[in-house]
Amino acid sequence: MTDHRTTLKDIAAVVGVSARAISAALNGTGRVSPEVRTRIQQVAKEMHYRPNILARGLVQNKTFLLGAVFPYANVSFFNDIISGIEERCTQMEYDLLLGNANLLDDKDEHPALMRMINRGVDGILCSPDYREIGLFRQLEKEGPATIQVMTRIPDSSLPFVGVDNKKGGLIATTYLIELGHQNIGFLTAKRCHYAEIEDRYSGYLKALIQSGIQLDTDAYTQTSDLTVEGGKEAAAQLLRRNPNLTAIFAPTDFAAVGAIRACLEAGRRIPQDVSVIGFDDLSLAEHQVVYPLTTIAQPKREVGLAAFDSLSKMLAGEQPPDVTMSPELKIRSTTGPNEH
């Protein structure tokens, strides 16, 4: 004997209205009085009504399935963005198919994107990989609806939701300058086409120029893979080349933690001898036991929410505008006045 699944007709029999009125009330469509809508929702809850997504999808020609592809989707930065997307998915009764691309291990996005396209997702939210420009050009022409999140393909018509990295770099460096620092090191990215890091570096340069600081930036920059170990190695090289260095701007929190370790191993105190600032505001930044990290916080959850909202507009036939959010300075224990 199979369990009976509550239908719209079952609810209609209890409330005393048509099944069409029940559908309109539960979907937020049609003309139903607030009192009747409230009664319908209450009865639906009491009867454990579950909408038939497959049937609704056939009627509306949708799968109610979205795809999300991000590099390092298992780390806290993208986890927070994905949490915002999932929050909206729950509210709007969508399911989410998640794909992971580890760019450091040379795993590009193509397999995950093709899996989602072949599954017939209604839309895709992703952080584009420059190696997949051809595929994204195809998505622009043929769909499904796609939102670029945090990174973007040059000259793409696909809507973008992300953060102003140039402003973040400017905020971070200006703060260090206000503390009296002038000999400020910067950890650049080894990987080419890392536009977010290039933008943060542009903000760093802009702050130096605006403050009238003449610095040999070639001498005060060092390439890194921006991991903890990579940040440690790069910062150690900077300190050896520039004994007068008093501050380091690491454009990721992982690299900043590595830079702190390099300073301590070199006998430099944090922040009395060297101030260190990161970027992202990962959970590890605030919860460093001895050295809670000063950093530039990105509104990660809000980016996820906004990305879903932009995709919803695309699915409704609109062309949503790009959304660029402002980052925010989080002052903690790893920065202080220049005492030298």
Side-chain angles (χ1 to χ4, degrees), residues 105-148:
D105 292 341
D106 205 35
K107 296 178 182 177
D108 60 33
E109 298 174 329
H110 192 275
L113 285 168
M114 292 308 301
R115 175 164 54 96
M116 292 171 183
I117 292 170
N118 293 336
R119 284 288 302 273
V121 295
D122 293 333
I124 295 174
L125 305 122
C126 65
S127 180
D129 179 358
Y130 72 94
R131 293 172 295 184
E132 296 300 330
I133 288 179
L135 179 56
F136 282 98
R137 297 292 186 219
Q138 182 181 344
L139 289 174
E140 288 183 69
K141 296 177 181 178
E142 302 174 5
T146 301
I147 301 293
Q148 303 179 96

Side-chain angles (χ1 to χ4, degrees), residues 5-148:
R5 177 169 178 159
T6 301
T7 66
L8 296 178
K9 290 183 178 180
D10 295 331
I11 300 172
V14 174
V15 179
V17 297
S18 68
R20 179 171 294 183
I22 300 295
S23 177
L26 295 178
N27 293 324
T29 60
R31 296 182 178 179
V32 181
S33 69
E35 295 80 8
V36 173
R37 188 187 306 277
T38 300
R39 171 64 175 154
I40 289 171
Q41 292 171 341
Q42 179 183 349
V43 171
K45 183 177 181 180
E46 292 172 352
M47 297 181 70
H48 306 291
Y49 171 72
R50 291 179 291 118
N52 189 326
I53 300 297
L54 290 176
R56 187 173 69 169
L58 289 173
V59 172
Q60 300 183 24
N61 194 28
K62 292 182 178 180
T63 61
F64 289 94
L65 180 65
L66 301 180
V69 183
F70 292 100
Y72 328 113
N74 56 325
V75 303
S76 62
F77 179 83
F78 285 104
N79 261 337
D80 291 340
I81 293 176
I82 292 166
S83 293
I85 295 171
E86 288 184 320
E87 186 176 328
R88 281 284 190 269
C89 284
T90 298
Q91 293 169 355
M92 304 304 293
E93 296 185 340
Y94 273 91
D95 288 316
L96 189 66
L97 186 63
L98 182 62
N100 185 35
N102 190 338
L103 304 186
L104 287 181
D105 292 341
D106 205 35
K107 296 178 182 177
D108 60 33
E109 298 174 329
H110 192 275
L113 285 168
M114 292 308 301
R115 175 164 54 96
M116 292 171 183
I117 292 170
N118 293 336
R119 284 288 302 273
V121 295
D122 293 333
I124 295 174
L125 305 122
C126 65
S127 180
D129 179 358
Y130 72 94
R131 293 172 295 184
E132 296 300 330
I133 288 179
L135 179 56
F136 282 98
R137 297 292 186 219
Q138 182 181 344
L139 289 174
E140 288 183 69
K141 296 177 181 178
E142 302 174 5
T146 301
I147 301 293
Q148 303 179 96

